[in-house]
């Protein structure tokens, strides 16, 4: 029996339908509220607003649950690999052998970056932030492949398999090229290798010395990319949906998502965590001073890698990555003093009333940087790695928007708090 919610305003009662999701999440469908009453809901930052229906990822922040297309992140982390999970997220089902092979082939066939496009790198100053380069390079894919980026959903969806594989594969190659550009190293050609090994080759091979695959490194990279593959309506995915809702192509929407991800409160947090751990290490602090500064409530002193807009219990990704950290370092025969600092910080914060009462726990970014560092990836590339991992989620979200025949352009409302109506004063009379 469908339920309704009654909203009473100024003695007027409005009945709004109640929606219930697969996992019992409830929402009030308030789309007609403004039309019927003149009121809107105010929800700065959309923290309590469902902006869409989505079949990609289920996230229960109170209970630390994350599932992609029904499969728990723990099972995927333990049994799947990045490319397979990317397929699952994009297409909705785990691939058959045949589908997995076809997807892998498409990724391999689209790994290269056109020579003409490589010249774009000449225009970037050496110290251009990697995420700035990545966003503009991905946006420019729409110029290099105009047939895949017509800004007509029907046509663009007709080429979706190709554009999706191209986006993931080229973000990987462009990421490695950005790394080499910032170091003044020559670019390398992709090889006929599995996805992660190809990335490691593109990053670390030398002209007369090919990168030799190390299974532990490949599997750690696979795990960390998989852990970032999607995360419901986070800032960058919501951005991709919003931009896509204007009818624009996949590449332009992805570029917008990359821009959103680069902020320090979102994907940029993984680099900020490493800077924080390094400065604690350099100052021979055991973390105590940092923790007490983080409690002043200002955004500039936050304990980076802690807290989450949705998780209020624990971030299941942080649990998997935190455990993997020690294992990966051991397998690689490395040690990292920053891992000890991270453990100490976590233990101290989890006992501190400030963090406990606000339900602040380590998030995915708290330990991921230590794994990236162990793989030889420099800090300024961490958010690029996050972008590569998140690309399947963005693509799946764009596809949902593009395939929804009833979809509307995203256009929130606001409460205007500027000056009331006033008359124009000519400049000569303004004093
Ligand atoms: N360190 C210290 N205090 C914090 C922190 C932190 N990391 N995070 C939140 N708080 C405090 C905040 O000052 C506020 O205190 P009060 O109630 O006294 O005003 C309270 O906790 C609630 O914070 P909030 O700003 O309402 O929380 P939010 O849900 O808006 O923000 C967040 C979520 C992730 C932006 C925030 O926790 C943060 O800035 N964390 C550090 C940055 C970070 O690690 N970001 C990565 C997020 S996970 C990866 C991703 O998906 O992007």
């Amino acid at each position: 029996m469908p339920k309704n919610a009654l909203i009473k305003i100024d003695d007027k009662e409005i009945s709004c339908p109640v929606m219930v999701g697969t996992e019992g999440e409830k929402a009030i469908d308030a789309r007609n509220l403004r039309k019927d009453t003149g009121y809107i809901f105010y929800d700065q930052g959309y923290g309590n607003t469902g902006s869409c229906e989505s079949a990609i990822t289920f996230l229960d922040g109170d209970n630390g649950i994350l599932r992609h297309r029904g499969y728990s992140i723990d099972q995927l982390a333990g049994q799947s690999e990045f490319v397979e999970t990317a397929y699952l997220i994009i297409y909705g089902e785990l691939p058959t052998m045949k589908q997995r092979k076809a997807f892998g082939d498409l990724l391999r066939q689209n790994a290269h970056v056109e020579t003409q496009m490589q010249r774009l790198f000449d225009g970037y100053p050496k110290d251009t932030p990697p995420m700035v380069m990545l966003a503009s390079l991905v946006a420019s894919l729409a110029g290099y492949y105009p047939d895949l980026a017509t800004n007509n959903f029907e046509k663009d969806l007709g080429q979706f398999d190709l554009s999706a594989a191209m986006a993931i594969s080229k973000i990987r190659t462009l990421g490695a090229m950005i790394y080499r550009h910032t170091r003044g190293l020559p670019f390398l050609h992709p090889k006929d290798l599995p996805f992660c090994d190809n990335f490691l080759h593109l990053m670390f091979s030398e002209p007369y010395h090919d990168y030799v695959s190390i299974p532990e490194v490949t599997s750690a990279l696979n795990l960390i990319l998989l852990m970032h593959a999607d995360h419901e309506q986070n800032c960058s995915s919501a951005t991709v949906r919003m931009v896509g809702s204007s009818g624009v192509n996949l590449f332009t929407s992805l570029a917008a998502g990359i821009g959103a991800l680069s902020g320090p409160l979102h994907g940029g947090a993984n680099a900020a965590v490493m800077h924080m751990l390094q400065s604690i290490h350099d100052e021979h602090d055991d973390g105590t001073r940092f923790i007490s500064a983080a409690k002043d409530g200002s955004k500039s002193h936050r304990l980076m890698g802690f807290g989450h807009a949705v998780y209020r219990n624990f971030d299941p990704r942080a649990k998997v990555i935190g455990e993997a950290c020690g294992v990966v370092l051991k397998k690689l025969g490395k040690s990292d003093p920053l891992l000890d600092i991270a453990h100490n910080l976590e233990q101290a914060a989890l006992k501190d009333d400030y963090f406990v009462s606000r339900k602040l726990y380590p998030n995915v970014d708290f330990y991921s940087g230590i794994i990236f560092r162990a793989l030889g990836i420099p800090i300024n590339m961490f958010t690029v790695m996050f972008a590569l991992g998140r690309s399947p989620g963005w693509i799946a979200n764009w596809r949902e928007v593009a395939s929804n025949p009833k979809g509307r352009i995203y256009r929130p409302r606001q409460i205007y708090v500027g000056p009331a109506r006033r008359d124009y004063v000519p400049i000569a009379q303004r004093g």
Side-chain angles (χ1 to χ4, degrees), residues 265-266 269 294 302-303 305-309 312 354 358 363 365:
L265 297 187
H266 191 10
R302 287 193 164 177
L303 184 57
F306 252 72
H308 197 276
R312 297 295 180 204
Y354 174 91
R358 286 169 179 76
N363 60 49
D365 293 320

Side-chain angles (χ1 to χ4, degrees), residues 309-328:
V310 182
Y311 293 118
R312 297 295 180 204
N313 183 332
F314 67 95
D315 179 341
R317 303 167 302 168
K319 216 168 145 208
V320 174
I321 294 183
E323 283 165 13
C325 246
V327 177
V328 170

Side-chain angles (χ1 to χ4, degrees), residues 223-409:
L223 174 72
I224 200 129
L225 292 178
L226 185 155
M227 294 309 292
H228 287 87
D230 190 43
H231 207 234
E232 209 224 33
Q233 295 309 310
N234 57 89
C235 177
S236 56
S237 300
T239 300
V240 167
R241 287 188 92 106
M242 174 167 263
V243 171
S245 78
S246 73
V248 84
N249 67 81
L250 176 66
F251 301 134
T252 307
S253 307
L254 292 176
I258 293 168
L261 186 74
S262 62
L265 297 187
H266 191 10
N270 57 15
V273 170
M274 289 309 277
H275 288 302
M276 173 186 81
L277 295 176
Q278 191 65 54
S279 76
I280 292 173
H281 181 258
D282 295 346
E283 287 166 21
H284 307 292
D285 177 14
D286 61 355
T288 318
R289 264 183 284 146
F290 202 94
I291 289 210
S292 62
K295 295 196 275 187
D296 80 350
S298 85
K299 282 203 166 65
S300 51
H301 283 106
R302 287 193 164 177
L303 184 57
M304 299 311 286
F306 252 72
H308 197 276
V310 182
Y311 293 118
R312 297 295 180 204
N313 183 332
F314 67 95
D315 179 341
R317 303 167 302 168
K319 216 168 145 208
V320 174
I321 294 183
E323 283 165 13
C325 246
V327 177
V328 170
L329 286 176
K330 200 166 163 206
K331 273 189 189 165
L332 296 177
K334 294 188 177 178
S335 66
D336 191 335
L338 300 193
L339 180 58
D340 298 332
I341 295 177
H343 279 144
N344 290 344
L345 272 182
E346 180 182 356
Q347 292 313 317
L350 293 182
K351 278 189 222 130
D352 190 305
D353 187 53
Y354 174 91
F355 294 92
V356 175
S357 63
R358 286 169 179 76
K359 301 191 171 175
L360 302 170
Y361 297 88
N363 60 49
V364 67
D365 293 320
F366 195 65
Y367 286 107
S368 63
I370 292 173
I371 298 192
F372 286 141
R373 200 158 108 120
L375 301 183
I377 294 164
I379 295 183
N380 71 347
M381 282 291 294
F382 284 6
T383 316
V384 170
M385 300 306 295
F386 192 153
L388 173 57
R390 183 56 53 84
S391 55
W394 290 333
I395 292 167
N397 274 285
W398 178 88
R399 190 186 195 206
E400 274 194 346
V401 169
S403 337
N404 182 358
K406 291 193 186 141
R408 295 184 59 196
I409 188 163

Side-chain angles (χ1 to χ4, degrees), residues 63-74:
N63 295 304
I65 295 172
L66 175 62
R67 293 187 205 127
H68 299 315
R69 305 285 191 182
Y71 297 100
S72 84
I73 192 68
D74 300 315

